Amino acid sequence: MASAEQGQRVLLQGNEAVVHGAIAAGCRFFAGYPITPASEISELLSVMLPKVGGTFIQMEDEIASMGAIIGASLAGVKSMTATSGPGFSLMQENLGYACITEVPCVVVNVMRGGPSTGLPTNVSQGDVLMARWGTHGDHPIIVLAVSSVSDCFSITVRAFNLSEKYRVPVILLSDEVVAHTRESVVLPSQDKVRVVDRIAPSVPPQWYKPYADNNRGVPDMAAFGEGYRHHVTGLVHDERGFPTQQPKEIESFLMRLHDKITKGFSEIMITKNHLMEDAEVCVIAYGCVSRAALMAIKMARQHGIKAGLLQLVTLFPFPRKAVDAALRQCKAAIVPELNLGQMAREINRVNQTGTRIIKHNRIDGQMITPNEILKQILGVS
């Protein structure tokens, strides 16, 4: 593993940069179980966390790992876990528990081929819709996707900040290619990293209501052991945390869970435009495929085609406004994915202009190349 000093240019793998981002964001607890291609995250954190006063635990499985980070977060510690597809499947029940109890935590899913054991050492983007809808019920969640080593640092920091601010689990989707890509990056010094912490109660313990609504829609959060009564349950609960069967309380509680994300749309939505100013054909991509797409649009411009790239960093909540603008601007949109079209479904859903949507998919464990995307661009033009 590379030794990285903040403020210096270093050569890092994507998985290593995730670790440095987590530490910079204030993560001090990790529980996980080794799994390809995410194991480097736990390996490096097992060394780095104790050096900053944190705790690393290798659990017996991913079910226990998710439970452990929920408990650590309830105790006031920023926490995370990292896994891949099979482990992510096991985490879903406890992920729903974190959603309904509004426990901040970050879950890194380094995607590989599936289903089941699938293709452990090959790239895929097959877990996109699972990241949004994997646990049952209408639930709030934020899903972010990284495409570079630099992203792995900065978007990990953003994941923790959003999780803390909105009291919601954040899923960070990486993939086998990004995780093992090695690039030269400059890590910012700690004083240059914006860190957001959850808001603690400003009232005495006897007045504290752990799930009381406020103008942010995000209740203040006390840590276990600080003297504040805090009942935690996976049942739908009232503002004191106790189960309720009152229809008005049920509806207002569940709506608040979603409304707090809606209120934060402008901050949560992250997209990147590349050569979109005059684009007539656009590529909409995310993760490692956006790297190939960026090269493809540059190659298309050499052929005289005005091509651009809309790169999605926030996958959910779905960045409808940015996608709608791109579709209204361009005559066609190419959506390359390492699955059978999971995000293309979302893009088609919001396509109000009749713009031609062209899917390009690979599910054989191999990367989509710039030439493949260029061929699709040339086919449109």
Side-chain angles (χ1 to χ4, degrees):
M1 296 292 180
S3 174
E5 296 294 332
Q6 290 180 333
Q8 296 181 359
R9 182 167 291 279
V10 291
L11 194 62
L12 290 178
Q13 254 188 9
N15 277 346
E16 293 175 294
V18 167
V19 170
H20 288 285
I23 296 291
C27 176
R28 294 298 180 266
F29 184 89
F30 177 94
Y33 186 83
I35 185 169
T36 301
S39 293
E40 295 91 349
I41 295 174
S42 57
E43 290 170 4
L44 187 54
L45 279 169
S46 72
V47 175
M48 290 186 64
L49 272 176
K51 292 180 180 179
V52 294
T55 303
F56 171 91
I57 303 178
Q58 180 171 312
M59 303 300 291
E60 65 268 29
D61 57 35
E62 291 84 357
I63 300 172
S65 300
M66 192 69 212
I69 69 168
I70 291 171
S73 185
L74 286 169
V77 182
K78 292 184 182 181
S79 63
M80 72 175 291
T81 188
T83 189
S84 190
F88 194 50
S89 296
L90 291 174
M91 292 179 178
Q92 293 306 315
E93 183 177 5
N94 273 339
L95 187 58
Y97 187 85
C99 290
I100 198 168
T101 55
E102 299 179 82
V103 176
C105 56
V106 172
V107 178
V108 181
N109 178 9
V110 184
M111 293 182 287
R112 73 190 211 188
S116 188
T117 309
L119 298 165
T121 59
N122 293 78
V123 68
S124 173
Q125 294 178 322
D127 300 348
V128 169
L129 290 181
M130 181 187 184
R132 176 61 187 93
W133 296 111
T135 195
H136 66 279
D138 288 318
H139 60 278
I141 206 159
I142 296 172
V143 182
L144 308 176
V146 295
S147 66
S148 67
V149 174
S150 177
D151 272 1
C152 287
F153 180 90
S154 61
I155 302 303
T156 298
V157 173
R158 180 70 75 93
F160 275 96
N161 287 347
L162 292 175
S163 180
E164 292 285 312
K165 182 170 182 177
Y166 295 100
R167 285 190 61 176
V168 65
V170 175
I171 310 301
L172 185 70
L173 287 182
S174 182
D175 55 64
E176 188 278 328
V177 166
V178 174
H180 295 139
T181 293
R182 194 172 294 276
E183 293 177 315
S184 177
V185 295
V186 176
L187 300 184
S189 57
Q190 187 63 48
D191 63 341
K192 301 294 185 183
V193 178
R194 179 175 177 265
V195 175
V196 175
D197 298 318
R198 64 194 69 172
I199 296 178
S202 58
V203 297
Q206 62 269 26
W207 293 356
Y208 179 56
K209 295 179 180 179
Y211 296 101
D213 199 0
N214 53 38
N215 60 355
R216 296 178 294 112
V218 184
D220 298 343
M221 187 173 183
F224 274 20
E226 291 183 340
Y228 287 83
R229 184 180 179 89
H230 192 177
H231 187 265
V232 181
T233 176
L235 293 166
V236 174
H237 43 269
D238 60 21
E239 62 184 12
R240 294 186 179 276
F242 292 100
T244 180
Q245 286 289 321
Q246 297 299 316
K248 288 184 178 180
E249 288 183 334
I250 294 169
E251 183 175 2
S252 63
F253 168 71
L254 293 174
M255 289 307 300
R256 181 180 62 75
L257 293 185
H258 292 274
D259 289 345
K260 67 181 181 182
I261 303 300
T262 303
K263 289 178 181 178
F265 267 10
S266 60
E267 179 182 22
I268 295 169
M269 296 300 169
I270 312 167
T271 58
K272 300 178 183 179
N273 287 328
H274 304 275
L275 302 178
M276 282 295 294
E277 294 80 7
D278 61 346
E280 297 175 355
V281 177
C282 71
V283 181
I284 304 176
Y286 56 93
C288 65
V289 179
S290 61
R291 302 169 68 96
L294 181 58
M295 181 173 288
I297 64 166
K298 291 178 179 178
M299 294 163 64
R301 295 240 166 198
Q302 293 174 355
H303 285 78
I305 300 170
K306 294 179 179 179
L309 167 64
L310 173 62
Q311 180 185 342
L312 308 182
V313 177
T314 302
L315 301 187
F316 297 100
F318 185 71
R320 179 172 187 154
K321 185 176 180 180
V323 171
D324 180 67
L327 296 180
R328 290 182 184 277
Q329 175 182 335
C330 299
K331 62 183 180 182
I334 297 152
V335 188
E337 299 182 79
L338 294 171
N339 55 49
L340 290 176
Q342 294 185 23
M343 284 304 285
R345 290 183 178 92
E346 293 296 306
I347 293 166
N348 269 308
R349 181 176 62 84
V350 302
N351 183 12
Q352 302 295 315
T353 60
T355 302
R356 186 181 174 193
I357 308 295
I358 303 165
K359 298 195 302 179
H360 182 78
N361 310 109
R362 288 193 73 160
I363 55 171
D364 59 358
Q366 304 302 307
M367 267 292 293
I368 293 175
T369 67
N371 282 330
E372 290 177 47
I373 300 172
L374 176 62
K375 184 179 179 179
Q376 295 286 359
I377 296 172
L378 294 176
V380 171
S381 304

